[in-house]
Amino acid sequence: MKQIVFATNNKHKLQEIREIVGDKLTISSLIDIGCTEDIPENEPTIEGNALAKARYVKEHYGFDCFADDTGLEVEALNGQPGVRSARYAPGEGHDSQANMKLLLENMKDKQNRRARFRTVIALIADGKEQLVEGIVNGNITEQPSGTDGFGYDPIFTPEGFDKTFAMMTSEEKNSISHRGRATRKLLDILKNL
């Protein structure tokens, strides 16, 4: 079975990817390969961050790998938080509660609640770099609902559904999510390597 490194320290993302992939692939994490440093995400685009993380692992550890970056793009906020989604609220970053609170405050008087989650996965394997993308459209809710998922899941309702990602089972979410869509494209590429 093919083994590949997923360049993340995010346990939620790792679990989600492993659930989507199932037994088709062995996914190692950064911890599994001894990488404990925080890989910088300083690029101005989602694509740039995904590529930077994958290149870092390939250059420093030598493994074929993939990395993702995800942004929540809200129409009424001109695509924000976008590439800054994980560090939207002031402070140390990666504070989901603070990020959601700030987003809901910024959306308080907005009629247009349309938004989309966009995941880009950068793959470096067999000496080639490739990008795949997954998008799911939906709306920002007025208040958080649900306890599953992570990040902005409690305030995002995907198109065609009447519940947030945080109200869905992991199977439901993975079948329609941005990360699920991008991961299935990644798997199609990996099958042919």
XYZ file of all heavy atoms in Angstrom, residues 3-15 17-18 26-37 39 57 61 63-66:
275
model
N 2.353 4.791 0.761
C 2.404 5.659 1.936
C 2.767 7.057 1.487
O 3.600 7.250 0.600
C 3.435 5.153 2.940
C 3.521 6.026 4.173
C 4.490 5.469 5.201
O 5.265 4.581 4.902
N 4.438 6.009 6.401
N 2.115 8.034 2.106
C 2.387 9.430 1.771
C 2.229 10.261 3.035
O 1.489 9.895 3.952
C 1.456 9.909 0.631
C 1.963 11.216 0.031
C 0.009 10.008 1.091
C 1.423 11.500 -1.357
N 2.935 11.374 3.106
C 2.869 12.254 4.270
C 1.865 13.372 4.010
O 1.865 13.983 2.939
C 4.263 12.860 4.574
C 4.168 13.901 5.681
C 5.243 11.764 4.943
N 1.012 13.606 4.984
C 0.105 14.759 4.965
C 0.749 15.827 5.839
O 0.914 15.636 7.037
C -1.270 14.356 5.490
C -2.303 15.468 5.496
C -2.152 16.624 4.747
C -3.449 15.332 6.265
C -3.113 17.623 4.750
C -4.415 16.327 6.280
C -4.262 17.476 5.529
N 1.141 16.935 5.234
C 1.867 17.997 5.941
C 0.923 18.831 6.795
O 0.539 19.938 6.432
C 2.612 18.880 4.941
N 0.527 18.254 7.935
C -0.337 18.980 8.859
C -0.052 18.556 10.290
O 0.390 17.427 10.539
C -1.831 18.756 8.536
O -2.615 19.658 9.328
C -2.270 17.325 8.819
N -0.317 19.471 11.207
C -0.330 19.162 12.635
C -1.758 19.222 13.172
O -1.981 19.060 14.359
C 0.537 20.171 13.416
C 2.010 19.871 13.260
O 2.427 18.727 13.323
N 2.808 20.904 13.042
N -2.720 19.476 12.276
C -4.116 19.610 12.675
C -4.749 18.218 12.781
O -4.972 17.543 11.773
C -4.850 20.480 11.638
C -6.283 20.753 12.013
O -7.006 19.874 12.462
N -6.696 21.987 11.803
N -5.033 17.796 14.018
C -5.584 16.454 14.249
C -6.933 16.261 13.576
O -7.253 15.177 13.109
C -5.718 16.195 15.756
C -4.391 16.046 16.453
C -4.581 15.833 17.944
C -3.230 15.838 18.628
N -3.257 16.373 19.965
N -7.748 17.329 13.541
C -9.069 17.236 12.913
C -8.943 16.970 11.410
O -9.630 16.115 10.854
C -9.869 18.524 13.133
C -10.160 18.819 14.567
N -11.005 18.049 15.338
C -9.716 19.806 15.378
C -11.075 18.553 16.551
N -10.289 19.623 16.606
N -8.048 17.725 10.751
C -7.841 17.526 9.309
C -7.307 16.126 9.031
O -7.734 15.467 8.090
C -6.833 18.547 8.757
C -7.377 19.918 8.529
C -6.296 20.767 7.868
C -6.739 22.182 7.625
N -5.702 22.952 6.927
N -6.353 15.679 9.849
C -5.756 14.358 9.666
C -6.809 13.267 9.782
O -6.890 12.366 8.941
C -4.633 14.146 10.688
C -3.819 12.874 10.544
C -3.078 12.831 9.209
C -2.815 12.757 11.698
N -7.644 13.362 10.802
C -8.703 12.369 10.994
C -9.682 12.384 9.822
O -10.073 11.337 9.309
C -9.455 12.645 12.304
C -10.586 11.670 12.560
C -11.362 11.999 13.825
O -10.880 12.689 14.714
N -12.576 11.500 13.898
N -9.178 13.404 6.690
C -8.544 12.850 5.490
C -8.451 11.326 5.590
O -8.733 10.607 4.629
C -7.139 13.469 5.269
C -7.263 14.927 4.837
C -6.323 12.666 4.282
C -7.483 15.181 3.365
N -8.046 10.817 6.749
C -7.934 9.361 6.919
C -9.291 8.684 6.749
O -9.374 7.591 6.176
C -7.319 9.023 8.277
C -5.809 9.250 8.302
C -5.201 8.951 9.654
N -3.741 8.973 9.601
C -2.966 9.140 10.659
N -3.492 9.283 11.876
N -1.651 9.144 10.525
N -1.885 4.701 3.049
C -1.406 4.939 4.407
C -0.947 6.386 4.502
O -0.061 6.807 3.757
C -0.235 4.001 4.753
O -0.677 2.656 4.626
C 0.249 4.243 6.175
N -1.590 7.133 5.403
C -1.285 8.553 5.551
C -0.482 8.756 6.832
O -0.946 8.437 7.920
C -2.570 9.384 5.649
C -3.504 9.043 4.500
C -2.249 10.863 5.774
C -3.680 10.032 3.437
N 0.723 9.293 6.692
C 1.546 9.647 7.848
C 1.389 11.138 8.123
O 1.213 11.932 7.196
C 3.015 9.345 7.576
O 3.192 7.972 7.337
N 1.496 11.503 9.390
C 1.413 12.914 9.759
C 2.821 13.482 9.913
O 3.809 12.750 9.848
C 0.661 13.057 11.078
O 1.441 12.505 12.129
N 2.909 14.772 10.152
C 4.204 15.395 10.408
C 4.860 14.795 11.646
O 6.064 14.541 11.650
C 4.046 16.916 10.569
C 3.671 17.681 9.302
C 3.461 19.160 9.621
C 4.729 17.509 8.215
N 4.081 14.544 12.678
C 4.615 13.933 13.909
C 5.211 12.563 13.587
O 6.280 12.201 14.087
C 3.504 13.788 14.973
C 2.956 15.158 15.377
C 3.988 13.017 16.188
C 3.899 16.051 16.119
N 4.530 11.795 12.728
C 5.006 10.450 12.366
C 6.392 10.473 11.731
O 7.145 9.508 11.841
C 4.025 9.760 11.397
C 2.676 9.474 12.023
O 2.607 9.305 13.259
O 1.678 9.417 11.269
N 6.733 11.572 11.041
C 8.050 11.649 10.389
C 9.044 12.473 11.215
O 10.139 12.771 10.756
C 7.954 12.202 8.948
C 7.436 13.648 8.928
C 7.101 11.282 8.081
C 7.608 14.359 7.596
N 8.636 12.862 12.419
C 9.542 13.603 13.305
C 9.584 15.098 13.066
O 10.486 15.773 13.549
N 8.622 15.611 12.319
C 8.577 17.054 12.046
C 7.716 17.722 13.116
O 6.499 17.530 13.137
C 7.995 17.312 10.655
S 7.815 19.068 10.258
N 8.360 18.483 13.985
C 7.623 19.153 15.057
C 7.567 20.668 14.879
O 6.889 21.353 15.635
C 8.261 18.835 16.432
O 9.636 19.196 16.383
C 8.129 17.363 16.763
N 8.274 21.179 13.866
C 8.271 22.622 13.660
C 6.932 23.068 13.044
O 6.238 22.281 12.411
C 9.444 23.092 12.797
C 9.590 22.394 11.469
C 10.576 21.228 11.485
O 10.597 20.460 12.462
O 11.285 21.076 10.500
N 5.286 24.833 10.294
C 5.643 25.255 8.933
C 4.933 26.577 8.637
O 3.714 26.675 8.790
C 5.252 24.176 7.900
C 5.976 22.858 8.222
C 5.592 24.648 6.487
C 5.514 21.675 7.383
N 8.199 20.038 3.433
C 8.357 18.627 3.832
C 9.255 17.885 2.855
O 10.154 17.142 3.251
C 6.982 17.940 3.957
C 7.130 16.428 4.123
C 6.210 18.527 5.124
N 12.601 16.727 4.566
C 12.442 15.342 5.024
C 12.498 14.319 3.892
O 12.632 13.132 4.145
C 11.127 15.189 5.810
C 11.165 15.973 7.104
C 10.766 17.301 7.131
C 11.642 15.400 8.271
C 10.826 18.044 8.303
C 11.708 16.125 9.458
C 11.296 17.450 9.460
O 11.361 18.174 10.619
N 10.213 13.172 1.823
C 9.049 12.331 1.552
C 8.158 12.908 0.457
O 7.986 14.123 0.375
C 8.183 12.190 2.816
C 8.813 11.387 3.907
C 9.451 12.013 4.965
C 8.763 9.997 3.894
C 10.030 11.284 5.991
C 9.343 9.259 4.906
C 9.979 9.898 5.966
N 7.567 12.022 -0.355
C 6.437 12.441 -1.170
C 5.351 12.855 -0.192
O 5.164 12.223 0.858
C 5.923 11.291 -2.042
C 6.788 11.072 -3.280
O 7.723 11.860 -3.513
O 6.516 10.106 -4.015
N 4.652 13.926 -0.516
C 3.710 14.450 0.464
C 2.636 15.284 -0.211
O 2.713 15.601 -1.390
C 4.442 15.303 1.490
S 5.255 16.723 0.744
N 1.636 15.606 0.600
C 0.650 16.580 0.167
C 0.337 17.492 1.345
O 0.537 17.134 2.509
C -0.615 15.927 -0.404
C -1.441 15.164 0.588
C -2.502 15.756 1.257
C -1.180 13.823 0.833
C -3.267 15.044 2.160
C -1.947 13.100 1.734
C -2.997 13.712 2.402
